[in-house]
Amino acid sequence: MTDHTSVVGLWVTADGHIRQELRADGRYEEARGGRRGAYTGRYTVTGDHIDYVDDTGFTATGDIRGGVLYHEHLVLHRERTTR
């Protein structure tokens, strides 16, 4: 992966409690439970690695391995949309 388009989409935990939307413009929004926008900020992609900077200045990292996003202690899978 070399750009945002390779990770764009909605990533969710197995229980659906945490939903992280990675947008093509390099922004993200993370929802937790019923709380939309629990975290918002920007992200950059380098290879299979993602660096996050929350709008409050908090930083985090993630890696995609085998189609799974490992974001700090979270394990997220890309949500498939049906049309």
Side-chain angles (χ1 to χ4, degrees), residues 5-66:
T5 59
S6 58
V7 300
V8 167
L10 185 62
W11 297 80
V12 298
T13 54
D15 63 4
H17 182 73
I18 298 175
R19 297 166 312 285
Q20 189 178 91
E21 179 186 6
L22 301 179
R23 299 185 341 213
D25 64 357
R27 300 278 305 162
Y28 73 89
E29 180 175 319
E30 186 172 302
R32 291 181 175 241
R35 184 175 168 213
R36 289 187 49 120
Y39 297 99
T40 59
R42 66 186 191 282
Y43 71 96
T44 57
V45 179
T46 306
D48 292 334
H49 182 78
I50 303 174
D51 288 298
Y52 299 85
V53 179
D54 187 83
D55 289 337
T56 66
F58 176 80
T59 61
T61 62
D63 292 289
I64 296 181
R65 296 187 304 270

